[in-house]
Amino acid sequence: MEHCGLDGATEDGDTLHKEKQAGRMTRDENDVLKIIDTLYKFFNPFLPASKQPYSRLTHLSSAIEASAETASDLLQAEDHGRTRFQEFIRDRLTTSDSTKAFHDPLKKLNLSTFSVKKSKKSATSHSTEILRSDRATFSRIALIAQTRHMDMREVFSYPLGPVPWALATPSGTLVKTSKSSLLPLLTDGMPQPAAVGTSSGALMLDGMAMLRARKLSDIPATFGEFAESTFTQMCKHFATYSRVDFIADTYRDVSIKNLERTARSAQGALRQHISSPQQRTPHQFSKYLAVGANKEELLNFFFTQWQRPDLVRRLPPGEILVITASRSCAMIPSHSSTTECKWCNAFSRHENRCPV
């Protein structure tokens, strides 16, 4: 500093380097804190294998789980590149009778990455094959009916194709129906009871229906804020009821509903993990909820967050909140600490009801 003539430099002087000015140092420190805060929002990839929350290849920032094809391409990208490099050397430099010139373009590998979207598969060809099969079956029946006495009404009472049309479409997919259209059929002509709310009553909320009812514009920026806003929304019911139950479904792999979720997942829905409360919620929230594993992890995240002491203290005195997620259940009375329900143990013992 003395050699450069900066030993007596001050912030107001012309000889003080800009990196040493108080304003620049403060800005650099804030930038460092922002980087640290951003890294804490990611999940830690350097944990031991026994403590890793995810077993498959997962995006660091978005926590999106890679498909089997994407994981294979990403993990073997270096090997693919090395193989292509060796082919380039062999075909263009070391072989005397090579048909490829040095400047000929290289064919793109087209490896699958996190940003690659799956295309929707067309079922036109499969539908055509089934219709042709039906036409061939009908022609054989018509030929046999000319020589034998057959009751065609009885013949046509059976499906001619490989699948029953009451269960499947000509494309081979399951027949779908709108569940909302069943409600008017069940309630048509039935008297509607008046809503009754008392200070000693209990209210049972369908957890996923409650989350589905929220507008996409009202979804908070982070999962932690989403859990707190949903908790606040439930606490409003304590003005009328003394107990509120947040009931959620379980999402099994072997189920008819899971087949539909799998079909939706093939059309763009992604498996996304929740690494921390500071993680940002996905912009396409409807596609996020189209995957059953995402919904189950979201409910488990709520189950953990709502048992925080700062949220438990928000409950009105004497009120009770019961929350469920997967096979876990907890009863949170406001006058004491969290009391875990024994439903998990009761379920393993094949008991018929939850102690709560």
PDB file of all heavy atoms in Angstrom, residues 100-130:
ATOM      1  N   LYS A 100     -15.347 -39.989 -45.091  1.00  0.00           N
ATOM      2  CA  LYS A 100     -15.772 -38.767 -44.426  1.00  0.00           C
ATOM      3  C   LYS A 100     -14.635 -37.769 -44.427  1.00  0.00           C
ATOM      4  O   LYS A 100     -13.483 -38.105 -44.112  1.00  0.00           O
ATOM      5  CB  LYS A 100     -16.209 -39.056 -42.989  1.00  0.00           C
ATOM      6  CG  LYS A 100     -17.467 -39.901 -42.886  1.00  0.00           C
ATOM      7  CD  LYS A 100     -17.898 -40.052 -41.437  1.00  0.00           C
ATOM      8  CE  LYS A 100     -19.180 -40.864 -41.335  1.00  0.00           C
ATOM      9  NZ  LYS A 100     -19.621 -41.035 -39.920  1.00  0.00           N
ATOM     10  N   ALA A 101     -14.981 -36.538 -44.779  1.00  0.00           N
ATOM     11  CA  ALA A 101     -13.999 -35.456 -44.729  1.00  0.00           C
ATOM     12  C   ALA A 101     -13.908 -34.904 -43.310  1.00  0.00           C
ATOM     13  O   ALA A 101     -14.805 -35.110 -42.486  1.00  0.00           O
ATOM     14  CB  ALA A 101     -14.373 -34.355 -45.716  1.00  0.00           C
ATOM     15  N   PHE A 102     -12.831 -34.196 -43.050  1.00  0.00           N
ATOM     16  CA  PHE A 102     -12.611 -33.681 -41.700  1.00  0.00           C
ATOM     17  C   PHE A 102     -13.697 -32.704 -41.291  1.00  0.00           C
ATOM     18  O   PHE A 102     -14.116 -32.671 -40.128  1.00  0.00           O
ATOM     19  CB  PHE A 102     -11.231 -33.010 -41.633  1.00  0.00           C
ATOM     20  CG  PHE A 102     -10.890 -32.501 -40.264  1.00  0.00           C
ATOM     21  CD1 PHE A 102     -10.361 -33.347 -39.298  1.00  0.00           C
ATOM     22  CD2 PHE A 102     -11.116 -31.178 -39.927  1.00  0.00           C
ATOM     23  CE1 PHE A 102     -10.059 -32.877 -38.023  1.00  0.00           C
ATOM     24  CE2 PHE A 102     -10.814 -30.699 -38.661  1.00  0.00           C
ATOM     25  CZ  PHE A 102     -10.285 -31.559 -37.704  1.00  0.00           C
ATOM     26  N   HIS A 103     -14.195 -31.900 -42.213  1.00  0.00           N
ATOM     27  CA  HIS A 103     -15.163 -30.853 -41.893  1.00  0.00           C
ATOM     28  C   HIS A 103     -16.611 -31.306 -42.095  1.00  0.00           C
ATOM     29  O   HIS A 103     -17.526 -30.472 -42.040  1.00  0.00           O
ATOM     30  CB  HIS A 103     -14.893 -29.605 -42.728  1.00  0.00           C
ATOM     31  CG  HIS A 103     -13.595 -28.933 -42.408  1.00  0.00           C
ATOM     32  ND1 HIS A 103     -13.393 -28.214 -41.254  1.00  0.00           N
ATOM     33  CD2 HIS A 103     -12.417 -28.910 -43.094  1.00  0.00           C
ATOM     34  CE1 HIS A 103     -12.156 -27.738 -41.235  1.00  0.00           C
ATOM     35  NE2 HIS A 103     -11.536 -28.149 -42.351  1.00  0.00           N
ATOM     36  N   ASP A 104     -16.858 -32.586 -42.325  1.00  0.00           N
ATOM     37  CA  ASP A 104     -18.240 -33.071 -42.418  1.00  0.00           C
ATOM     38  C   ASP A 104     -18.941 -32.906 -41.066  1.00  0.00           C
ATOM     39  O   ASP A 104     -18.342 -33.121 -40.007  1.00  0.00           O
ATOM     40  CB  ASP A 104     -18.262 -34.540 -42.834  1.00  0.00           C
ATOM     41  CG  ASP A 104     -17.920 -34.719 -44.300  1.00  0.00           C
ATOM     42  OD1 ASP A 104     -17.908 -33.704 -45.023  1.00  0.00           O
ATOM     43  OD2 ASP A 104     -17.645 -35.865 -44.709  1.00  0.00           O
ATOM     44  N   PRO A 105     -20.207 -32.523 -41.088  1.00  0.00           N
ATOM     45  CA  PRO A 105     -20.907 -32.291 -39.813  1.00  0.00           C
ATOM     46  C   PRO A 105     -21.091 -33.594 -39.035  1.00  0.00           C
ATOM     47  O   PRO A 105     -21.211 -34.680 -39.606  1.00  0.00           O
ATOM     48  CB  PRO A 105     -22.256 -31.707 -40.237  1.00  0.00           C
ATOM     49  CG  PRO A 105     -22.452 -32.186 -41.642  1.00  0.00           C
ATOM     50  CD  PRO A 105     -21.077 -32.264 -42.254  1.00  0.00           C
ATOM     51  N   LEU A 106     -21.126 -33.457 -37.714  1.00  0.00           N
ATOM     52  CA  LEU A 106     -21.370 -34.583 -36.819  1.00  0.00           C
ATOM     53  C   LEU A 106     -22.862 -34.719 -36.556  1.00  0.00           C
ATOM     54  O   LEU A 106     -23.570 -33.713 -36.399  1.00  0.00           O
ATOM     55  CB  LEU A 106     -20.626 -34.392 -35.492  1.00  0.00           C
ATOM     56  CG  LEU A 106     -19.100 -34.435 -35.544  1.00  0.00           C
ATOM     57  CD1 LEU A 106     -18.530 -34.036 -34.184  1.00  0.00           C
ATOM     58  CD2 LEU A 106     -18.619 -35.806 -35.939  1.00  0.00           C
ATOM     59  N   LYS A 107     -23.327 -35.930 -36.489  1.00  0.00           N
ATOM     60  CA  LYS A 107     -24.728 -36.182 -36.182  1.00  0.00           C
ATOM     61  C   LYS A 107     -24.986 -35.933 -34.702  1.00  0.00           C
ATOM     62  O   LYS A 107     -24.228 -36.385 -33.837  1.00  0.00           O
ATOM     63  CB  LYS A 107     -25.098 -37.616 -36.554  1.00  0.00           C
ATOM     64  CG  LYS A 107     -26.587 -37.913 -36.374  1.00  0.00           C
ATOM     65  CD  LYS A 107     -26.911 -39.343 -36.801  1.00  0.00           C
ATOM     66  CE  LYS A 107     -28.400 -39.624 -36.621  1.00  0.00           C
ATOM     67  NZ  LYS A 107     -28.732 -41.015 -37.016  1.00  0.00           N
ATOM     68  N   LYS A 108     -26.051 -35.223 -34.408  1.00  0.00           N
ATOM     69  CA  LYS A 108     -26.379 -34.896 -33.026  1.00  0.00           C
ATOM     70  C   LYS A 108     -26.834 -36.141 -32.274  1.00  0.00           C
ATOM     71  O   LYS A 108     -27.549 -36.982 -32.802  1.00  0.00           O
ATOM     72  CB  LYS A 108     -27.480 -33.829 -32.995  1.00  0.00           C
ATOM     73  CG  LYS A 108     -27.707 -33.225 -31.624  1.00  0.00           C
ATOM     74  CD  LYS A 108     -28.726 -32.094 -31.711  1.00  0.00           C
ATOM     75  CE  LYS A 108     -28.948 -31.459 -30.346  1.00  0.00           C
ATOM     76  NZ  LYS A 108     -29.942 -30.356 -30.407  1.00  0.00           N
ATOM     77  N   LEU A 109     -26.411 -36.246 -30.994  1.00  0.00           N
ATOM     78  CA  LEU A 109     -26.767 -37.420 -30.200  1.00  0.00           C
ATOM     79  C   LEU A 109     -28.221 -37.411 -29.750  1.00  0.00           C
ATOM     80  O   LEU A 109     -28.841 -38.458 -29.570  1.00  0.00           O
ATOM     81  CB  LEU A 109     -25.856 -37.503 -28.966  1.00  0.00           C
ATOM     82  CG  LEU A 109     -24.394 -37.886 -29.231  1.00  0.00           C
ATOM     83  CD1 LEU A 109     -23.605 -37.827 -27.944  1.00  0.00           C
ATOM     84  CD2 LEU A 109     -24.324 -39.281 -29.822  1.00  0.00           C
ATOM     85  N   ASN A 110     -28.778 -36.208 -29.530  1.00  0.00           N
ATOM     86  CA  ASN A 110     -30.169 -36.077 -29.064  1.00  0.00           C
ATOM     87  C   ASN A 110     -30.399 -36.845 -27.759  1.00  0.00           C
ATOM     88  O   ASN A 110     -31.340 -37.637 -27.633  1.00  0.00           O
ATOM     89  CB  ASN A 110     -31.151 -36.572 -30.138  1.00  0.00           C
ATOM     90  CG  ASN A 110     -31.179 -35.669 -31.351  1.00  0.00           C
ATOM     91  OD1 ASN A 110     -31.060 -34.450 -31.218  1.00  0.00           O
ATOM     92  ND2 ASN A 110     -31.326 -36.254 -32.522  1.00  0.00           N
ATOM     93  N   LEU A 111     -29.534 -36.599 -26.775  1.00  0.00           N
ATOM     94  CA  LEU A 111     -29.715 -37.225 -25.469  1.00  0.00           C
ATOM     95  C   LEU A 111     -30.850 -36.559 -24.719  1.00  0.00           C
ATOM     96  O   LEU A 111     -31.086 -35.355 -24.839  1.00  0.00           O
ATOM     97  CB  LEU A 111     -28.417 -37.125 -24.658  1.00  0.00           C
ATOM     98  CG  LEU A 111     -27.184 -37.821 -25.249  1.00  0.00           C
ATOM     99  CD1 LEU A 111     -25.984 -37.622 -24.346  1.00  0.00           C
ATOM    100  CD2 LEU A 111     -27.452 -39.304 -25.461  1.00  0.00           C
ATOM    101  N   SER A 112     -31.547 -37.336 -23.937  1.00  0.00           N
ATOM    102  CA  SER A 112     -32.667 -36.823 -23.157  1.00  0.00           C
ATOM    103  C   SER A 112     -32.151 -36.085 -21.933  1.00  0.00           C
ATOM    104  O   SER A 112     -31.248 -36.558 -21.238  1.00  0.00           O
ATOM    105  CB  SER A 112     -33.575 -37.979 -22.729  1.00  0.00           C
ATOM    106  OG  SER A 112     -34.639 -37.516 -21.916  1.00  0.00           O
ATOM    107  N   THR A 113     -32.715 -34.904 -21.660  1.00  0.00           N
ATOM    108  CA  THR A 113     -32.345 -34.096 -20.499  1.00  0.00           C
ATOM    109  C   THR A 113     -33.600 -33.716 -19.734  1.00  0.00           C
ATOM    110  O   THR A 113     -34.727 -34.082 -20.103  1.00  0.00           O
ATOM    111  CB  THR A 113     -31.591 -32.831 -20.924  1.00  0.00           C
ATOM    112  OG1 THR A 113     -32.454 -32.020 -21.749  1.00  0.00           O
ATOM    113  CG2 THR A 113     -30.346 -33.182 -21.731  1.00  0.00           C
ATOM    114  N   PHE A 114     -33.416 -32.948 -18.648  1.00  0.00           N
ATOM    115  CA  PHE A 114     -34.561 -32.507 -17.848  1.00  0.00           C
ATOM    116  C   PHE A 114     -35.486 -31.588 -18.635  1.00  0.00           C
ATOM    117  O   PHE A 114     -36.675 -31.500 -18.335  1.00  0.00           O
ATOM    118  CB  PHE A 114     -34.086 -31.781 -16.591  1.00  0.00           C
ATOM    119  CG  PHE A 114     -33.588 -32.698 -15.512  1.00  0.00           C
ATOM    120  CD1 PHE A 114     -32.243 -32.914 -15.330  1.00  0.00           C
ATOM    121  CD2 PHE A 114     -34.477 -33.349 -14.674  1.00  0.00           C
ATOM    122  CE1 PHE A 114     -31.783 -33.755 -14.336  1.00  0.00           C
ATOM    123  CE2 PHE A 114     -34.028 -34.199 -13.681  1.00  0.00           C
ATOM    124  CZ  PHE A 114     -32.685 -34.400 -13.507  1.00  0.00           C
ATOM    125  N   SER A 115     -34.952 -30.888 -19.632  1.00  0.00           N
ATOM    126  CA  SER A 115     -35.757 -29.933 -20.386  1.00  0.00           C
ATOM    127  C   SER A 115     -36.494 -30.560 -21.552  1.00  0.00           C
ATOM    128  O   SER A 115     -37.320 -29.907 -22.186  1.00  0.00           O
ATOM    129  CB  SER A 115     -34.856 -28.813 -20.919  1.00  0.00           C
ATOM    130  OG  SER A 115     -33.863 -29.333 -21.786  1.00  0.00           O
ATOM    131  N   VAL A 116     -36.235 -31.834 -21.850  1.00  0.00           N
ATOM    132  CA  VAL A 116     -36.905 -32.502 -22.960  1.00  0.00           C
ATOM    133  C   VAL A 116     -38.299 -32.914 -22.528  1.00  0.00           C
ATOM    134  O   VAL A 116     -38.479 -33.561 -21.500  1.00  0.00           O
ATOM    135  CB  VAL A 116     -36.106 -33.729 -23.438  1.00  0.00           C
ATOM    136  CG1 VAL A 116     -36.877 -34.481 -24.519  1.00  0.00           C
ATOM    137  CG2 VAL A 116     -34.753 -33.287 -23.982  1.00  0.00           C
ATOM    138  N   LYS A 117     -39.302 -32.552 -23.307  1.00  0.00           N
ATOM    139  CA  LYS A 117     -40.681 -32.910 -22.999  1.00  0.00           C
ATOM    140  C   LYS A 117     -41.098 -34.115 -23.822  1.00  0.00           C
ATOM    141  O   LYS A 117     -40.746 -34.242 -24.981  1.00  0.00           O
ATOM    142  CB  LYS A 117     -41.621 -31.737 -23.290  1.00  0.00           C
ATOM    143  CG  LYS A 117     -41.362 -30.517 -22.419  1.00  0.00           C
ATOM    144  CD  LYS A 117     -42.362 -29.428 -22.719  1.00  0.00           C
ATOM    145  CE  LYS A 117     -42.119 -28.221 -21.837  1.00  0.00           C
ATOM    146  NZ  LYS A 117     -43.092 -27.138 -22.117  1.00  0.00           N
ATOM    147  N   LYS A 118     -41.862 -34.983 -23.192  1.00  0.00           N
ATOM    148  CA  LYS A 118     -42.326 -36.172 -23.892  1.00  0.00           C
ATOM    149  C   LYS A 118     -43.471 -35.814 -24.834  1.00  0.00           C
ATOM    150  O   LYS A 118     -44.328 -35.010 -24.503  1.00  0.00           O
ATOM    151  CB  LYS A 118     -42.800 -37.230 -22.892  1.00  0.00           C
ATOM    152  CG  LYS A 118     -41.705 -37.750 -21.983  1.00  0.00           C
ATOM    153  CD  LYS A 118     -42.240 -38.801 -21.048  1.00  0.00           C
ATOM    154  CE  LYS A 118     -41.156 -39.341 -20.131  1.00  0.00           C
ATOM    155  NZ  LYS A 118     -41.675 -40.364 -19.195  1.00  0.00           N
ATOM    156  N   SER A 119     -43.476 -36.415 -25.994  1.00  0.00           N
ATOM    157  CA  SER A 119     -44.547 -36.189 -26.953  1.00  0.00           C
ATOM    158  C   SER A 119     -45.707 -37.125 -26.683  1.00  0.00           C
ATOM    159  O   SER A 119     -45.529 -38.219 -26.164  1.00  0.00           O
ATOM    160  CB  SER A 119     -44.029 -36.395 -28.383  1.00  0.00           C
ATOM    161  OG  SER A 119     -43.546 -37.719 -28.531  1.00  0.00           O
ATOM    162  N   LYS A 120     -46.881 -36.665 -27.026  1.00  0.00           N
ATOM    163  CA  LYS A 120     -48.073 -37.473 -26.804  1.00  0.00           C
ATOM    164  C   LYS A 120     -48.167 -38.564 -27.873  1.00  0.00           C
ATOM    165  O   LYS A 120     -48.052 -38.299 -29.070  1.00  0.00           O
ATOM    166  CB  LYS A 120     -49.319 -36.590 -26.856  1.00  0.00           C
ATOM    167  CG  LYS A 120     -50.595 -37.318 -26.497  1.00  0.00           C
ATOM    168  CD  LYS A 120     -51.799 -36.404 -26.622  1.00  0.00           C
ATOM    169  CE  LYS A 120     -51.704 -35.240 -25.691  1.00  0.00           C
ATOM    170  NZ  LYS A 120     -52.918 -34.395 -25.759  1.00  0.00           N
ATOM    171  N   LYS A 121     -48.369 -39.783 -27.445  1.00  0.00           N
ATOM    172  CA  LYS A 121     -48.433 -40.908 -28.369  1.00  0.00           C
ATOM    173  C   LYS A 121     -49.816 -40.991 -29.002  1.00  0.00           C
ATOM    174  O   LYS A 121     -50.830 -40.817 -28.347  1.00  0.00           O
ATOM    175  CB  LYS A 121     -48.122 -42.210 -27.633  1.00  0.00           C
ATOM    176  CG  LYS A 121     -46.697 -42.279 -27.101  1.00  0.00           C
ATOM    177  CD  LYS A 121     -46.434 -43.615 -26.430  1.00  0.00           C
ATOM    178  CE  LYS A 121     -45.005 -43.679 -25.914  1.00  0.00           C
ATOM    179  NZ  LYS A 121     -44.726 -44.987 -25.239  1.00  0.00           N
ATOM    180  N   SER A 122     -49.844 -41.259 -30.288  1.00  0.00           N
ATOM    181  CA  SER A 122     -51.099 -41.384 -31.011  1.00  0.00           C
ATOM    182  C   SER A 122     -51.561 -42.831 -31.014  1.00  0.00           C
ATOM    183  O   SER A 122     -50.758 -43.753 -31.167  1.00  0.00           O
ATOM    184  CB  SER A 122     -50.942 -40.887 -32.454  1.00  0.00           C
ATOM    185  OG  SER A 122     -52.125 -41.098 -33.172  1.00  0.00           O
ATOM    186  N   ALA A 123     -52.845 -43.034 -30.808  1.00  0.00           N
ATOM    187  CA  ALA A 123     -53.405 -44.387 -30.769  1.00  0.00           C
ATOM    188  C   ALA A 123     -54.162 -44.720 -32.047  1.00  0.00           C
ATOM    189  O   ALA A 123     -54.977 -45.633 -32.068  1.00  0.00           O
ATOM    190  CB  ALA A 123     -54.325 -44.526 -29.558  1.00  0.00           C
ATOM    191  N   THR A 124     -53.901 -43.986 -33.147  1.00  0.00           N
ATOM    192  CA  THR A 124     -54.645 -44.204 -34.385  1.00  0.00           C
ATOM    193  C   THR A 124     -54.393 -45.585 -34.959  1.00  0.00           C
ATOM    194  O   THR A 124     -55.312 -46.297 -35.346  1.00  0.00           O
ATOM    195  CB  THR A 124     -54.263 -43.125 -35.410  1.00  0.00           C
ATOM    196  OG1 THR A 124     -54.475 -41.828 -34.831  1.00  0.00           O
ATOM    197  CG2 THR A 124     -55.093 -43.257 -36.657  1.00  0.00           C
ATOM    198  N   SER A 125     -53.128 -45.998 -35.036  1.00  0.00           N
ATOM    199  CA  SER A 125     -52.805 -47.290 -35.629  1.00  0.00           C
ATOM    200  C   SER A 125     -53.407 -48.427 -34.814  1.00  0.00           C
ATOM    201  O   SER A 125     -53.939 -49.396 -35.366  1.00  0.00           O
ATOM    202  CB  SER A 125     -51.286 -47.447 -35.720  1.00  0.00           C
ATOM    203  OG  SER A 125     -50.701 -47.356 -34.432  1.00  0.00           O
ATOM    204  N   HIS A 126     -53.343 -48.325 -33.485  1.00  0.00           N
ATOM    205  CA  HIS A 126     -53.903 -49.376 -32.632  1.00  0.00           C
ATOM    206  C   HIS A 126     -55.416 -49.461 -32.799  1.00  0.00           C
ATOM    207  O   HIS A 126     -55.998 -50.536 -32.835  1.00  0.00           O
ATOM    208  CB  HIS A 126     -53.535 -49.105 -31.183  1.00  0.00           C
ATOM    209  CG  HIS A 126     -53.944 -50.197 -30.239  1.00  0.00           C
ATOM    210  ND1 HIS A 126     -53.664 -51.536 -30.477  1.00  0.00           N
ATOM    211  CD2 HIS A 126     -54.623 -50.162 -29.071  1.00  0.00           C
ATOM    212  CE1 HIS A 126     -54.140 -52.280 -29.491  1.00  0.00           C
ATOM    213  NE2 HIS A 126     -54.726 -51.457 -28.621  1.00  0.00           N
ATOM    214  N   SER A 127     -56.057 -48.293 -32.921  1.00  0.00           N
ATOM    215  CA  SER A 127     -57.501 -48.277 -33.122  1.00  0.00           C
ATOM    216  C   SER A 127     -57.867 -48.926 -34.448  1.00  0.00           C
ATOM    217  O   SER A 127     -58.855 -49.669 -34.544  1.00  0.00           O
ATOM    218  CB  SER A 127     -58.009 -46.840 -33.059  1.00  0.00           C
ATOM    219  OG  SER A 127     -59.378 -46.784 -33.377  1.00  0.00           O
ATOM    220  N   THR A 128     -57.073 -48.675 -35.500  1.00  0.00           N
ATOM    221  CA  THR A 128     -57.357 -49.262 -36.815  1.00  0.00           C
ATOM    222  C   THR A 128     -57.253 -50.777 -36.773  1.00  0.00           C
ATOM    223  O   THR A 128     -58.074 -51.491 -37.361  1.00  0.00           O
ATOM    224  CB  THR A 128     -56.386 -48.683 -37.857  1.00  0.00           C
ATOM    225  OG1 THR A 128     -56.497 -47.254 -37.862  1.00  0.00           O
ATOM    226  CG2 THR A 128     -56.695 -49.217 -39.234  1.00  0.00           C
ATOM    227  N   GLU A 129     -56.258 -51.294 -36.059  1.00  0.00           N
ATOM    228  CA  GLU A 129     -56.090 -52.740 -35.964  1.00  0.00           C
ATOM    229  C   GLU A 129     -57.282 -53.389 -35.256  1.00  0.00           C
ATOM    230  O   GLU A 129     -57.756 -54.447 -35.676  1.00  0.00           O
ATOM    231  CB  GLU A 129     -54.796 -53.054 -35.213  1.00  0.00           C
ATOM    232  CG  GLU A 129     -53.543 -52.656 -35.978  1.00  0.00           C
ATOM    233  CD  GLU A 129     -52.291 -52.908 -35.172  1.00  0.00           C
ATOM    234  OE1 GLU A 129     -52.435 -53.398 -34.029  1.00  0.00           O
ATOM    235  OE2 GLU A 129     -51.196 -52.606 -35.654  1.00  0.00           O
ATOM    236  N   ILE A 130     -57.803 -52.753 -34.203  1.00  0.00           N
ATOM    237  CA  ILE A 130     -58.939 -53.327 -33.485  1.00  0.00           C
ATOM    238  C   ILE A 130     -60.190 -53.313 -34.352  1.00  0.00           C
ATOM    239  O   ILE A 130     -60.966 -54.274 -34.386  1.00  0.00           O
ATOM    240  CB  ILE A 130     -59.178 -52.566 -32.167  1.00  0.00           C
ATOM    241  CG1 ILE A 130     -58.004 -52.802 -31.211  1.00  0.00           C
ATOM    242  CG2 ILE A 130     -60.478 -52.987 -31.515  1.00  0.00           C
ATOM    243  CD1 ILE A 130     -58.152 -52.120 -29.886  1.00  0.00           C
TER     244      ILE A 130
END
